[in-house]
């Protein structure tokens, strides 16, 4: 029995080490990118919700806006490129999350509010609420907020027009 517990602890430790390695690879890749683009920024690494999380922060967040782009489009592309860089090094698919200048953190707060508001509307009307199309990241945040409000939600449609529907209990 102790052996099984040790194995589970070791597996958890291996996962953490793997995610930390992903973060290190991503940080190296992003530091190179910042050098090429001649942008100042610090790299912060963490492990959140069983995935590596890397953030680029700067005193001049305005300068980093170039890396965020309109509605986070450049950020999404950089996240995919960073995931590919990690995959090239490790051979494993990465679920790494990238944030630049706090864009995703701010967006997460806004989306959690949107999900909670939609859940309140469904609770009061008893009718499903369809939200506008969102990225996978955005849908995940809304699904989590709806679940926290005690309701359920589903994603419908095809990318890039996939959207969340909040359903009555």
């Amino acid at each position: 029995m102790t052996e099984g517990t040790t194995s589970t602890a070791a597996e958890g430790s291996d996962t953490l080490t793997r995610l930390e390695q992903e973060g290190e690879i991503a940080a190296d890749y992003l530091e190179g990118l910042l050098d090429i683009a001649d942008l100042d920024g610090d790299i912060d690494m963490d492990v959140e919700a069983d995935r590596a999380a890397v953030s680029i922060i700067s005193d001049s967040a305005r300068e980093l806006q170039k890396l965020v782009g309109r509605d986070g489009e450049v950020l999404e592309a950089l996240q995919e490129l960073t995931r590919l860089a990690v995959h090239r090094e490790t051979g494993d698919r990465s679920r790494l999350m990238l944030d630049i200048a706090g864009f995703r953190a701010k967006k997460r707060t806004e989306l959690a509010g949107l999900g909670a508001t939609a859940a309140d509307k469904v609770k009061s009307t008893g009718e499903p609420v369809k939200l506008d199309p969102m990225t996978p990241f955005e849908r995940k945040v809304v699904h989590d907020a709806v679940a926290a409000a005690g309701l359920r939600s589903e994603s419908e449609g095809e990318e890039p027009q996939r959207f969340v529907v909040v359903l009555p209990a």
Side-chain angles (χ1 to χ4, degrees):
M1 182 108 132
T2 307
E3 190 174 294
T5 306
T6 306
S7 173
T8 303
E11 286 172 15
S13 175
D14 289 348
T15 299
L16 188 59
T17 303
R18 182 179 53 78
L19 294 175
E20 289 169 344
Q21 178 189 18
E22 282 187 22
E24 291 287 338
I25 294 166
D28 290 344
Y29 175 79
L30 292 165
E31 283 174 3
L33 180 81
L34 289 173
D35 287 344
I36 291 167
D38 196 28
L39 295 171
D40 290 326
D42 294 319
I43 310 289
D44 183 37
M45 296 177 299
D46 201 358
V47 174
E48 299 173 359
D50 200 30
R51 66 171 60 188
V54 179
S55 300
I56 301 176
I57 52 178
S58 173
D59 293 335
S60 175
R62 184 175 168 173
E63 185 175 276
L64 292 179
Q65 279 307 117
K66 299 171 194 170
L67 299 179
V68 173
R70 187 172 50 92
D71 294 328
E73 291 171 342
V74 177
L75 170 58
E76 289 290 334
L78 288 174
Q79 177 175 277
E80 286 307 308
L81 289 172
T82 305
R83 286 176 174 177
L84 287 171
V86 170
H87 180 265
R88 185 186 67 223
E89 292 289 322
T90 64
D92 295 326
R93 183 177 175 278
S94 174
R95 294 178 53 237
L96 174 132
M97 288 295 290
L98 174 63
D99 193 4
I100 299 174
F103 177 83
R104 277 198 204 276
K106 181 180 174 195
K107 191 79 168 171
R108 182 177 281 124
T109 301
E110 292 170 4
L111 291 165
L114 175 68
T117 300
D120 288 345
K121 185 174 180 181
V122 169
K123 285 178 182 177
S124 67
T125 66
E127 297 294 319
V129 171
K130 292 182 182 180
L131 302 176
D132 291 335
M134 299 177 192
T135 66
F137 160 76
E138 293 168 335
R139 290 192 309 269
K140 167 89 170 85
V141 174
V142 171
H143 285 306
D144 290 349
V146 169
L151 294 180
R152 62 188 186 89
S153 56
E154 297 175 351
S155 291
E156 293 183 4
E158 298 295 323
E159 296 292 354
Q161 296 300 314
R162 200 153 166 79
F163 59 94
V164 173
V165 179
V166 182
L167 303 164

